[in-house]
Amino acid sequence: MAQYTLPDLPYDYGDLAPAISGEIMELHHDKHHAAYVKGTNDTLDQLAEARDNGALGGLVGLEKTLAFNLSGHKLHSIFWTNLSPEGGDRPDGELADRIVEDFGSFDAFKSQLTTATAAVQGSGWGVLAHDPLGDRLIVTQVYDHHGNVGVDTTPLLVFDAWEHAYYLQYKNVRPDYVSELWNIVNWQNVAERYTAATAK
Ligand code: MN
């Protein structure tokens, strides 16, 4: 049976500083993301055991735990590749054109994703996603890792708004962290995700 595995970071822990400190990156990847991977595998094992034993009384809780951990694993896997020490500036090409088409301007889009991320109540994410049904880009607020998600939308750019993502460095000032994230966005990665999503 396939096991989920923790992907390596595509850069060193300290490479995203000063936007994100190496201490945060190491804890975030090696402890938090790793826990979601383990949680996914462990929950699938428990589900298999429950099936084998015909003991599905705890199914509702296990399904919630699976959704939480698997979504956390996926979002973090996207988040690391969405960032780069050489990131920042703005997208160009088709992605840039589509952002203007669907949000009015890059600045309007940036303002919406910034606010969506900074204004998450509790723990969650700000997300730029592609919706295949309308073939358009949308900004969404995801709660925890899996709440308030538009079904079947494809995340292209995800901003982690959990306190573990910034608190050691930014304390309670989440907007300053979000502002710094824009300086390390790997637009080439976002554009590749856009191309793959729209090619489906
Ligand atoms: Mn996180």
Side-chain angles (χ1 to χ4, degrees):
M1 197 188 322
Q3 291 278 304
Y4 290 90
T5 56
L6 181 66
D8 290 334
L9 289 176
Y11 34 72
D12 290 332
Y13 298 126
D15 286 354
L16 298 182
I20 306 176
S21 73
E23 183 186 20
I24 288 178
M25 290 300 296
E26 184 168 1
L27 285 166
H28 199 171
H29 176 267
D30 293 8
K31 303 298 183 188
H32 293 278
H33 187 174
Y36 300 131
V37 175
K38 184 175 187 305
T40 302
N41 290 325
D42 287 354
T43 308
L44 286 169
D45 287 347
Q46 290 170 47
L47 282 162
E49 196 180 321
R51 282 195 305 276
D52 291 348
N53 296 335
L56 294 171
L59 184 70
V60 171
L62 287 172
E63 295 289 6
K64 283 183 179 173
T65 303
L66 178 64
F68 174 83
N69 283 287
L70 181 55
S71 300
H73 174 33
K74 289 185 181 184
L75 283 167
H76 285 90
S77 298
I78 297 168
F79 184 55
W80 309 134
T81 64
N82 277 166
L83 305 177
S84 164
E86 285 84 42
D89 205 6
R90 293 172 175 222
D92 52 19
E94 279 186 40
L95 174 61
D97 294 343
R98 181 57 79 89
I99 286 173
V100 171
E101 192 180 326
D102 290 343
F103 296 99
S105 68
F106 178 80
D107 287 338
F109 152 70
K110 183 176 177 178
S111 177
Q112 186 177 347
L113 182 55
T114 294
T115 303
T117 309
V120 164
Q121 294 177 323
S123 299
W125 300 72
V127 174
L128 168 68
H130 177 259
D131 173 45
L133 185 59
D135 185 22
R136 61 161 299 151
L137 299 177
I138 56 173
V139 165
T140 63
Q141 260 187 333
V142 174
Y143 281 88
D144 291 329
H145 301 309
H146 55 312
N148 207 38
V149 174
V151 170
D152 194 37
T153 57
T154 305
L156 307 176
L157 173 63
V158 301
F159 283 171
D160 192 338
W162 283 57
E163 287 185 349
H164 67 222
Y166 64 88
Y167 212 88
L168 285 175
Q169 185 176 354
Y170 293 93
K171 304 293 190 292
N172 58 311
V173 193
R174 191 193 277 168
D176 285 358
Y177 154 72
V178 179
S179 175
E180 284 296 321
L181 279 180
W182 289 102
N183 296 326
I184 50 173
V185 172
N186 182 346
W187 286 112
Q188 187 183 327
N189 178 265
V190 181
E192 285 167 5
R193 292 180 181 283
Y194 169 75
T195 300
T198 52
K200 274 188 216 163

